[in-house]
Amino acid sequence: MMQSWIILGATSSMARAFGRAVAERGDAVFFAGRDMDDLKRSATDSAVRGARVAEPVFFDARKPESFSAIYDRVSAEEGIINVAVFVGSMPPQDAIDAEPSLIDGTVTDSFTGPARFLQGLASLMEERGSGTVIGVGSVAGDRGRIGNYVYGAAKAGFHTYLSGLRNRLNRSGGHVVTVKPGFVDTAMTWGIEGMFLVAPPEKVARDLLRAVDKKKNVIYTPFFWRYIMLIIRSIPEGIFKKLSV
Amino acid sequence: MLWKTTEYAGWGRVHTATGQVARPERVSNLVAALKETPAPAIGMCRSYGDASLNDGGAAIDMTRLDRIIGFDPDSGTLEVEGGCQIGELARLFAPRGWLPAVMPGTGFATVAGCIANDVHGKNHHGNGSFGQHVISLVLMTPSGKKVIGPKKSAKLFQATVGGLGQTGIIVSVKLQMLPCKGDVMMVTERRAESYEDFLTLLDNSTATYSVGWIDATAKGNNLGRGILEEAETGSGLMPAQKKPKSVPFNAPAFALSKPIVKAFNAAYYRRVPESGRTSVKPINDFFFPLDAIHDWNKLYGKRGFHQFQCVVPIEKAAALREMLELIARSGLASPLAVLKRMGAGRAGNMSFPMEGYTLAVDFPNRPQAEILISRLEEMTQLAGGRLYLAKDSLATGARIKSMYPEHAAWVDEVEKADPEGQFATDLIRRLDLRTTL
Ligand SMILES: Cc1cc2nc3c(=O)[nH]c(=O)nc-3n(C[C@H](O)[C@H](O)[C@H](O)COP(=O)(O)OP(=O)(O)OC[C@H]3O[C@@H](n4cnc5c(N)ncnc54)[C@H](O)[C@@H]3O)c2cc1C
Ligand SMILES: NC(=O)c1ccc[n+]([C@@H]2O[C@H](COP(=O)([O-])OP(=O)(O)OC[C@H]3O[C@@H](n4cnc5c(N)ncnc54)[C@H](OP(=O)(O)O)[C@@H]3O)[C@@H](O)[C@H]2O)c1
């Protein structure tokens, strides 16, 4: 069956690595985002690597009017439609403390924007029968902490949304993979202090592909974050509230 | 966040640097970084010494700008971003009948890094240096970008190829690849019993690709013995590639001590039967044998190591023999020692190649090794040869300048391209390379 992938937030290095991997399988890849010059380069790269189709498409999580052109473009492709969501933004928590209105943008980029996009696409996916949604959340969504709880809250909302969407698409043969990365070596984390066990984006991309093939529901990447987060989640709130992690 | 303060090292891990590093993931980030803090570009830091270091200053890590931005399957011309890695190109294009025309001994080197050192491969005798296959490149400085090539802005191009990043940042490159039969190599290995035998084999070789491993611990009648590998590209089925392994920690000092290296080398030599042998190998095994072990440089322990690489003119082969004697007597060499025939091909003012024989030997970082290397450098100079800046971390400026006759022309062009010295690196300062004094 022919496969198409819409990649939201395709300028992310994680997204680029994933796009390459599916391109080398011969799938169609739509690089969706705001920086069209950059997306065009990634599309050419994927075309040379073997993608059946590789095109940049404009997508802004904060501009829902940009969504329908993407729906139209992919519905013209035959076969299975898949989406991988890498969109997200993480302004420093102190910037949000100083300017609370930044919350709106953070939540739109990391949760409601992509959710609204997926909501609009769900019926098309149902029509086609199968297809996978990869939603990149974050370990930050597993527990709110002083360092980035607005971003964490947006990711937690996204996780919950994805679990509901999984429930829905399952009825028509579709699937949703929730991905919770730990620290990944991308533009978002470059220069941030306190990073450890930082994974290369290519490693995350490999984990994603495997999760799709094996129809995993929720994965941590790299895998050991599952255990780190198990510990973090198990700390009683009475103690956790005093920590500065 | 554009800049990160970090420590990084040359491949030999003798030299390290600490400073602000930006790692643009798109061209607009690069423009912004250059505007904020003009700084030299670095690639995968596979240069052994300090060519890719800027201690106390800033650097721009180009490894994330690694996309293919154009390919013509009919002509084999390829356009890539500067951070694209050679091994990745070989992996993608060999099955389609094309190979990067020149590939250094590691597939991790970036295309721009290969230009900045005008690298040579195992086919240098026939196909020349990396820069000779560059059709054009996009060079960026704080004042803007330019497209240059062997004809367009020829002088600036010659200063850029082999130019150690001093003329600006190489953003993207158009390359001419070479046709190949497929993604495997037909490799013939033969023993060379002595130095003289080795030279005869090298001189008479008609193979497209050839490289000699040399037992730098062998003395007396065995001096200069080794194995010559000759290869052509081929096609057909191959067993699946082994997964790369990595070295998780610094090895203890005895790992590469004299008796161990001697024993290893003797066994390595005898591995190939006296009558030679021919086999089919995956492309990586032949071109990038060391890449199978990630971070193998940690085998030399915390103190790191040096690589000495020189080239001497054909008629000075005797000088190279003397060097080998000295090396064998010192008992300091590691198993990594390479002897190759080099052609005359070079594309830049500061390119390393000259027609002759090139010898590369690794030494653990010890005071005795430094003394030995400095003696070898002197012998190279006397023989009218050259030292390779991609490997160097010990030479003096005067010696290097005497070996590169076009140095003054290079300085001229570099001063025009970067009048404020914003792209200078540790190597440039150590050798005072941007003055003619
Ligand atoms: C195992 C091994 C085998 C090797 N075998 C060979 C061989 O057979 N032949 C050979 O010739 N060399 C060989 N080398 C050396 C290697 O090919 C060169 O050092 C090459 O330049 C490394 O590329 P890099 O991307 O790591 O560049 P770096 O080492 O990071 O940088 C090298 C130089 O390039 C400049 N530079 C990097 N990127 C840019 C850019 N975008 N724009 C402008 N300047 C830039 C830097 O400023 C620096 O001066 C070998 C090295 C290793 C580790
Ligand atoms: N890096 C980590 O350690 C880590 C850990 C856990 C989870 N994550 C998540 O992984 C995903 C990828 O992040 P990354 O680390 O690769 O960082 P990144 O480079 O900052 O990627 C974020 C992506 O989101 C896009 N984006 C942001 N706001 C947008 C909007 N309004 N409309 C359209 N696109 C928008 C960005 O596009 P532009 O280029 O247009 O800005 C970019 O492509 C994110 O969801 C992030 O939260 C990362």
Side-chain angles (χ1 to χ4, degrees):
Chain A
M1 217 18 167
M2 291 213 275
Q3 305 276 343
S4 300
W5 284 94
I6 307 170
I7 300 189
L8 301 185
T11 54
S12 141
S13 45
M14 250 184 260
R16 270 165 56 175
F18 181 77
R20 282 180 170 177
V22 292
E24 290 190 23
R25 290 182 168 195
D27 299 351
V29 197
F30 297 96
F31 288 88
R34 299 179 291 191
D35 184 342
M36 295 307 280
D37 287 341
D38 187 69
L39 296 167
K40 200 164 151 250
R41 286 189 169 221
S42 290
T44 308
D45 179 75
S46 276
V48 175
R49 282 166 194 268
R52 175 166 53 85
V53 175
E55 289 172 17
V57 291
F58 182 78
F59 165 81
D60 186 337
R62 301 189 191 186
K63 295 194 179 120
E65 62 278 13
S66 69
F67 299 174
S68 63
I70 307 177
Y71 301 150
D72 292 346
R73 178 62 192 86
V74 285
S75 34
E77 288 298 313
E78 281 174 47
I80 295 170
I81 292 168
N82 308 279
V83 198
V85 181
F86 294 89
V87 206
S89 63
M90 186 179 72
Q93 184 65 43
D94 51 12
I96 299 179
D97 296 344
E99 182 48 67
S101 67
L102 288 177
I103 289 186
D104 299 349
T106 309
V107 174
T108 310
D109 297 343
S110 309
F111 171 25
T112 56
R116 186 159 165 185
F117 179 89
L118 293 171
Q119 204 65 17
L121 190 75
S123 52
L124 180 61
M125 291 187 68
E126 282 167 333
E127 258 169 54
R128 300 275 174 110
S130 51
T132 301
V133 174
I134 297 177
V136 176
S138 171
V139 293
D142 275 9
R143 193 154 196 183
R145 49 185 191 85
I146 191 162
N148 65 357
Y149 58 94
V150 168
Y151 169 76
K155 289 295 191 184
F158 192 45
H159 295 162
T160 307
Y161 172 81
L162 291 170
S163 111
L165 185 66
R166 179 179 305 116
N167 204 183
R168 169 177 167 184
L169 292 183
N170 186 51
R171 279 139 223 270
S172 55
H175 185 61
V176 176
V177 184
T178 305
V179 182
K180 299 181 181 179
F183 295 142
V184 189
D185 191 10
T186 66
M188 192 180 266
T189 51
W190 183 255
I192 293 187
E193 281 179 28
M195 292 287 137
F196 56 92
L197 299 170
V198 184
E202 293 74 23
K203 154 91 181 123
V204 172
R206 280 196 298 274
D207 283 357
L208 297 192
L209 267 191
R210 196 169 329 115
V212 171
D213 291 346
K214 293 192 171 166
K215 288 210 174 228
K216 295 277 189 199
N217 297 311
V218 180
I219 65 156
Y220 287 81
T221 167
F223 73 95
F224 52 76
W225 280 93
R226 178 178 294 277
Y227 306 103
I228 297 179
M229 294 320 290
L230 197 69
I231 295 167
I232 300 228
R233 277 199 318 269
S234 68
I235 300 172
E237 195 64 22
I239 298 174
F240 195 79
K241 71 180 179 193
K242 296 180 197 143
L243 303 179
S244 41
V245 283
Chain B
M1 198 147 328
L2 224 42
W3 301 92
K4 164 174 163 175
T5 304
T6 189
E7 193 191 36
Y8 53 109
W11 186 244
R13 305 207 307 154
V14 172
H15 290 290
T16 58
T18 304
Q20 299 251 297
V21 178
R23 187 183 61 188
E25 299 204 339
R26 48 188 111 175
V27 177
S28 58
N29 294 158
L30 171 63
V31 174
L34 257 186
K35 196 169 266 166
E36 258 183 53
T37 310
I42 60 178
M44 287 293 282
C45 294
R46 257 32 187 207
S47 298
Y48 284 67
D50 46 4
S52 62
L53 306 181
N54 191 17
D55 193 25
I60 301 181
D61 174 338
M62 294 292 288
T63 57
R64 288 287 164 101
L65 289 171
D66 66 347
R67 286 166 294 193
I68 298 165
I69 51 180
F71 171 58
D72 176 2
D74 297 322
S75 63
T77 55
L78 177 72
E79 194 171 2
V80 295
E81 292 180 326
C84 194
Q85 292 175 24
I86 293 296
E88 178 75 350
L89 296 178
R91 179 182 73 83
L92 287 169
F93 292 103
R96 303 186 211 176
W98 297 100
L99 267 185
V102 172
M103 301 200 285
T106 174
F108 293 119
T110 65
V111 166
C114 287
I115 292 175
N117 272 318
D118 196 13
V119 304
H120 54 273
K122 298 178 171 56
N123 56 350
H124 186 268
H125 53 285
N127 294 106
S129 70
F130 197 92
Q132 293 183 286
H133 305 271
V134 173
I135 299 167
S136 64
L137 59 83
V138 176
L139 191 66
M140 195 183 281
T141 62
S143 53
K145 60 179 187 182
K146 267 189 202 159
V147 183
I148 62 171
K151 295 226 176 67
K152 196 166 172 214
S153 313
K155 280 190 173 166
L156 180 57
F157 182 76
Q158 283 158 26
T160 299
V161 176
L164 300 152
Q166 297 309 297
T167 55
I169 298 198
I170 300 167
V171 186
S172 59
V173 183
K174 203 182 249 177
L175 293 171
Q176 178 61 53
M177 292 197 280
L178 284 183
C180 68
K181 292 205 189 95
D183 60 355
V184 300
M185 300 300 293
M186 322 299 275
V187 185
T188 301
E189 292 163 290
R190 276 185 289 169
R191 286 189 190 177
E193 288 172 9
S194 64
Y195 180 63
E196 287 67 30
D197 194 20
F198 222 137
L199 294 192
T200 313
L201 288 179
L202 282 170
D203 291 346
N204 294 333
S205 172
T206 54
T208 310
Y209 297 98
S210 69
V211 59
W213 169 80
I214 197 161
D215 178 355
T217 61
K219 293 187 238 183
N221 288 342
N222 291 333
L223 183 83
R225 73 170 177 188
I227 293 163
L228 178 69
E229 290 188 32
E230 298 173 286
E232 304 294 338
T233 59
S235 63
L237 281 182
M238 254 328 284
Q241 287 268 10
K242 281 171 253 142
K243 258 189 129 179
K245 301 193 171 38
S246 58
V247 179
F249 45 76
N250 287 317
F254 69 81
L256 287 165
S257 63
K258 190 169 156 183
I260 292 194
V261 174
K262 243 182 125 63
F264 174 86
N265 280 5
Y268 192 81
Y269 176 73
R270 299 221 168 77
R271 189 181 53 106
V272 172
E274 231 167 307
S275 54
R277 66 176 180 193
T278 298
S279 54
V280 182
K281 289 188 179 181
I283 228 161
N284 286 6
D285 288 15
F286 176 73
F287 284 106
F288 319 124
L290 292 165
D291 289 356
I293 305 170
H294 286 170
D295 306 331
W296 60 263
N297 53 350
K298 289 190 194 153
L299 287 173
Y300 290 89
K302 264 208 303 272
R303 280 183 295 179
F305 68 110
H306 294 290
Q307 181 170 103
F308 165 79
Q309 184 171 1
C310 70
V311 56
V312 298
I314 305 273
E315 65 278 8
K316 297 287 182 179
L320 215 52
R321 188 182 206 286
E322 277 173 43
M323 290 188 209
L324 278 170
E325 268 167 17
L326 209 61
I327 293 168
R329 241 184 290 140
S330 76
L332 290 167
S334 85
L336 292 173
V338 170
L339 183 67
K340 275 191 284 207
R341 180 73 200 249
M342 194 160 244
R346 62 205 293 275
N349 304 136
M350 294 296 287
S351 296
F352 168 67
M354 67 161 68
E355 173 108 58
Y357 301 103
T358 173
L359 173 72
V361 188
D362 286 9
F363 300 99
N365 178 24
R366 309 252 163 83
Q368 311 95 289
E370 286 195 19
I371 298 167
L372 172 68
I373 291 172
S374 126
R375 181 81 189 93
L376 297 172
E377 288 175 357
E378 202 183 318
M379 291 163 84
T380 307
Q381 188 177 18
L382 283 173
R386 235 173 241 155
L387 294 169
Y388 192 10
L389 294 172
K391 311 290 175 75
D392 174 60
S393 45
L394 295 168
T396 61
R399 183 162 279 157
I400 295 292
K401 290 172 196 174
S402 76
M403 294 171 166
Y404 287 85
E406 293 162 55
H407 175 248
W410 180 73
V411 171
D412 254 13
E413 208 50 45
V414 167
E415 281 320 299
K416 275 187 238 156
D418 177 31
E420 292 174 47
Q422 290 165 320
F423 296 123
T425 56
D426 289 356
L427 176 137
I428 299 296
R429 284 185 289 270
R430 174 170 58 84
L431 300 174
D432 190 20
L433 214 54
R434 287 181 54 166
T435 70
T436 48
L437 301 174

